[in-house]
Amino acid sequence: MSATILPLTQLPAWQALEAHYQKIKNVHLRQFFADDPQRGTRFTIEDVGFYFDYSKNRITEETIRLLLGLADESGLRERIDAMFSGKKINTTENRAVLHVALRAPRDQSIIVDGANVVPRVHEVLDRMATFADRVRSGQWLGHTGKRIRNIINIGIGGSDLGPVMTYEALRHYSQRDMTFRFISNVDGTDFVEATHDLNAEETLFIVASKTFTTLETMTNARTARQWTLQTLGEEQAVARHFVAVSTNGEEVAKFGIDIANMFGFWDWVGGRYSMDSAIGLSTMLAIGPENFRSMLAGFRGMDEHFRTAPFARNLPVLMGLLSVWYSNFFESQTVAILPYDQYLKRFPAYLQQLAMESNGKHVTLDGKRVDYQTGPIFWGEPGTNGQHSFYQLIHQGTRLIPCDFIGFCQTANPLGSHHDILMANLFAQTEALAFGKTADEVRSEATLEKLVAHRVFEGNRPTNTILAEQLTPETLGRLVALYEHSVFTQGAIWQIDSFDQWGVELGKVLAMKILPELNQVEEPELLHDSSTNTLIRHYKSFKLHQT
Ligand code: F6P
């Protein structure tokens, strides 16, 4: 952050937004739409394959003008340029933030520490493609000469959520005679359930870990090796059944995986921004190199849009600014992600890490405690399932929950009227949330007076609607990049480091201290607080009853 930028709440645009908020906070979306018959087309953008409707937000043109002013005063343009040019904007880890280089074309040059990183990216992509083709075509055989039929990705956080979300999202494009599974949790159940019906002779594990030291992943990887060797006996089998994806060649070699079977990436790729790096190896195995490259083209299209489109027409910038508007002025605590596509069932979970590990920060880049809210809580489920569970609270609860509705005009699985029913529900929900139902409207339906209050929908619940033609690899790339850059925009406004994750450290350290205390037969001296000490004792005494 440039030293010339004032603390956020002292910026003139912030103060103007506070005053503006007081003026419009009680205006109803019904009023906004009544005042401007063009609103439903005015607040829309059609670009990079998306139709983005943000008209059902509690905003006026003045709100947008002020939010754009806030972006300018926050130095968003400079931050974007700094990221794209490889500056070390992750200051607490002294690292560049270059997931955009993962999808850069071969002839582009992005310099980090004096070297162009783009040729290295393409070298790895080419190796991944050769490997994926060999496995998919049956050329790469297991130790006993059998074809590989099952791929299991072992990883956690960014080394799991991206791969599993993408596999589910693009399952339609996947090689259907192969099985893809994902093991992340250190809970042995995850391993057992993922492997119980598989033949080790036909199974290939991808151990995916940026650091190759993560406790959960290394525990699962060791168990996978035992499981494989139980059937295959000889140690040489590991070379045919294990590959690694990591930045840490030394640890990969120590684990016993041949470096020739390692696919690398770099410290300038954050875990939660790595699904299009070698971490996407399982994705490439599932959908093939060509579809993977289409996905990268989608990412690249959104990167270019983010880098070059004027902020007033820039999808990630507008989405990010709207999120700031609700988080900081309306004090909303959460954002609901509601994809109307079954293939996107893991998308909200993926966005949880992307958004919350990035922007869950309580100090600014220069280490000062913020005096405003930062990252909201992301959550959600695919429509229409959510409608029959938590939408009640969004419609009639006391909290303001901005929602992103994501839908597609065409489906990969046309089946009678299913898709029209699905999309009718999406449109209906945004309409109901915005406009609600007044007491008079409820009464006009001959409702008993004592029920009127219960059946009123206040409305005025804000939504974005993101429509695309079809969920393809390219669309998915664009969609993920849209959220990556929206998260970036928010972090830039909040003046925080969106690319570190110190908040995950303390729990990891304490777990390593507690682990030996759980194993000791005699009572160890427990020096935790009285609650933790008692929980440990309780666990140990009941653990003895395990049959
Ligand atoms: O614990 C958080 C974290 O560091 C994430 O940021 C990361 O995606 C995940 O752990 C997995 O890390 P690794 O890829 O190094 O195993």
Side-chain angles (χ1 to χ4, degrees):
M1 182 67 49
S2 139
T4 53
I5 291 173
L6 287 171
L8 178 57
T9 52
Q10 290 175 30
L11 291 173
W14 180 275
Q15 293 174 356
L17 277 161
E18 276 180 332
H20 172 71
Y21 168 71
Q22 293 305 328
K23 272 198 234 144
I24 72 156
K25 66 180 181 188
N26 294 322
V27 182
H28 201 286
L29 279 165
R30 279 185 219 124
Q31 191 63 48
F32 286 139
F33 273 84
D35 290 348
D36 175 8
Q38 305 306 320
R39 186 179 172 94
T41 48
R42 189 185 311 286
F43 290 105
T44 62
I45 295 178
E46 199 165 358
D47 207 346
V48 243
F50 288 119
Y51 181 76
F52 177 60
D53 178 350
Y54 61 109
S55 63
K56 295 190 184 98
N57 278 291
R58 293 170 65 173
I59 53 166
T60 62
E61 297 215 347
E62 176 69 355
T63 321
I64 294 296
R65 195 184 66 74
L66 292 172
L67 286 169
L68 293 171
L70 183 66
D72 289 340
E73 289 175 17
S74 299
L76 179 61
R77 167 56 52 212
E78 293 75 17
R79 295 282 293 165
I80 294 173
D81 292 345
M83 173 172 74
F84 276 88
S85 61
K87 298 246 164 61
K88 297 195 173 176
I89 60 168
N90 176 359
T91 49
T92 71
E93 295 181 323
N94 192 31
R95 287 178 182 165
V97 173
L98 268 181
H99 39 280
V100 292
L102 298 171
R103 47 262 192 167
R106 276 182 204 275
D107 56 358
Q108 200 178 320
S109 168
I110 302 177
I111 308 292
V112 179
D113 294 329
N116 181 7
V117 298
V118 179
R120 287 150 75 194
V121 167
H122 283 275
E123 190 250 322
V124 174
L125 279 173
D126 291 343
R127 281 186 56 227
M128 287 164 64
T130 306
F131 177 71
D133 281 337
R134 289 185 68 199
V135 175
R136 287 162 60 85
S137 66
Q139 262 177 283
W140 176 285
L141 298 175
H143 184 62
T144 59
K146 287 204 169 152
R147 194 174 170 160
I148 296 295
R149 300 262 172 216
N150 317 308
I151 304 290
I152 302 190
N153 187 80
I154 298 180
I156 198 163
S159 302
D160 167 69
L161 287 162
V164 73
M165 180 278 288
T166 309
Y167 171 66
E168 292 297 344
L170 301 179
R171 198 182 252 257
H172 177 71
Y173 297 84
S174 70
Q175 186 150 327
R176 297 291 193 163
D177 63 355
M178 292 177 75
T179 298
F180 292 86
R181 298 208 176 140
F182 300 83
I183 299 176
S184 54
N185 200 330
V186 76
D187 182 342
T189 299
D190 207 8
F191 187 91
V192 170
E193 290 295 339
T195 52
H196 77 98
D197 56 346
L198 301 185
N199 178 356
E201 292 173 281
E202 300 178 337
T203 303
L204 176 87
F205 289 95
I206 302 172
V207 185
S209 174
K210 182 175 170 181
T211 54
F212 229 73
T213 56
T214 304
L215 177 65
E216 293 87 340
T217 300
M218 298 326 294
T219 305
N220 279 320
R222 279 190 289 272
T223 302
R225 190 166 55 185
Q226 275 167 18
W227 181 84
T228 305
L229 294 183
Q230 246 166 36
T231 309
L232 302 178
E234 299 152 281
E235 194 65 32
Q236 302 96 285
V238 171
R240 306 302 300 169
H241 293 269
F242 282 80
V243 297
V245 177
S246 187
T247 58
N248 191 345
E250 215 174 294
E251 286 298 323
V252 169
K254 263 197 228 160
F255 180 83
I257 295 179
D258 188 345
I259 291 294
N261 294 340
M262 169 178 151
F263 299 87
F265 61 114
W266 307 273
D267 73 355
W268 40 261
V269 183
R272 53 194 176 273
Y273 296 89
S274 66
M275 57 162 275
D276 49 339
S277 71
I279 289 290
L281 184 61
S282 59
T283 307
M284 199 189 266
L285 282 159
I287 65 173
E290 206 178 310
N291 281 321
F292 195 88
R293 288 190 192 280
S294 300
M295 184 179 79
L296 294 181
F299 272 101
R300 187 158 61 240
M302 186 56 75
D303 293 345
E304 273 312 284
H305 170 82
F306 181 52
R307 197 175 64 80
T308 59
F311 285 173
R313 310 286 307 158
N314 192 309
L315 296 169
V317 169
L318 285 173
M319 272 180 70
L321 291 174
L322 287 167
S323 188
V324 168
W325 175 236
Y326 292 115
S327 293
N328 297 112
F329 297 93
F330 285 86
E331 295 184 358
S332 61
Q333 304 284 327
T334 79
V335 177
I337 304 293
L338 308 168
Y340 276 62
D341 191 302
Q342 186 61 19
Y343 283 128
L344 287 180
K345 66 180 182 188
R346 296 287 292 172
F347 193 58
Y350 171 77
L351 286 189
Q352 278 180 333
Q353 188 198 11
L354 179 69
M356 292 162 72
E357 201 168 63
S358 295
N359 286 340
K361 309 290 161 64
H362 67 294
V363 295
T364 59
L365 282 162
D366 49 8
K368 301 217 172 67
R369 181 75 163 85
V370 296
D371 56 355
Y372 43 85
Q373 294 287 344
T374 60
I377 297 153
F378 273 60
W379 60 286
E381 279 289 319
T384 56
N385 299 15
Q387 290 174 207
H388 295 272
S389 82
F390 54 78
Y391 277 38
Q392 164 67 38
L393 187 145
I394 306 181
H395 281 285
Q396 285 191 317
T398 52
R399 294 167 197 279
L400 185 77
I401 302 178
C403 305
D404 287 354
F405 284 80
I406 303 168
F408 300 92
C409 302
Q410 297 162 20
T411 171
N413 299 302
L415 196 60
S417 52
H418 281 251
H419 196 63
D420 282 348
I421 296 172
L422 176 74
M423 294 304 286
N425 273 279
L426 184 160
F427 300 134
Q429 289 298 326
T430 70
E431 190 177 7
L433 286 164
F435 303 105
K437 195 175 195 180
T438 63
D440 285 347
E441 285 166 341
V442 174
R443 279 193 191 98
S444 73
E445 293 169 346
T447 306
L448 285 178
E449 192 54 33
K450 67 173 185 182
L451 288 183
V452 169
H454 297 277
R455 298 191 60 182
V456 163
F457 288 71
E458 287 172 350
N460 219 10
R461 269 67 169 164
T463 60
N464 290 320
T465 302
I466 301 167
L467 285 184
E469 223 165 85
Q470 201 181 343
L471 179 55
T472 61
E474 191 165 359
T475 316
L476 184 73
R478 289 187 198 124
L479 187 65
V480 172
L482 171 64
Y483 278 94
E484 284 178 349
H485 299 321
S486 165
V487 164
F488 180 96
T489 299
Q490 293 165 62
I493 303 291
W494 290 321
Q495 306 184 353
I496 56 181
D497 189 333
S498 300
F499 301 100
D500 61 14
Q501 56 283 316
W502 300 105
V504 301
E505 295 302 324
L506 180 58
K508 287 187 195 174
V509 171
L510 293 179
M512 291 314 287
K513 203 166 150 201
I514 292 172
L515 182 59
E517 295 169 349
L518 302 187
N519 292 329
Q520 278 171 40
V521 182
E522 46 319 333
E523 175 78 19
E525 195 191 359
L526 295 175
L527 298 174
H528 307 276
D529 59 278
S530 59
S531 161
T532 311
N533 287 344
T534 313
L535 286 167
I536 292 171
R537 285 197 192 100
H538 189 86
Y539 169 75
K540 288 188 71 168
S541 69
F542 278 83
K543 184 178 137 170
L544 295 174
H545 304 318
Q546 165 118 34
T547 48

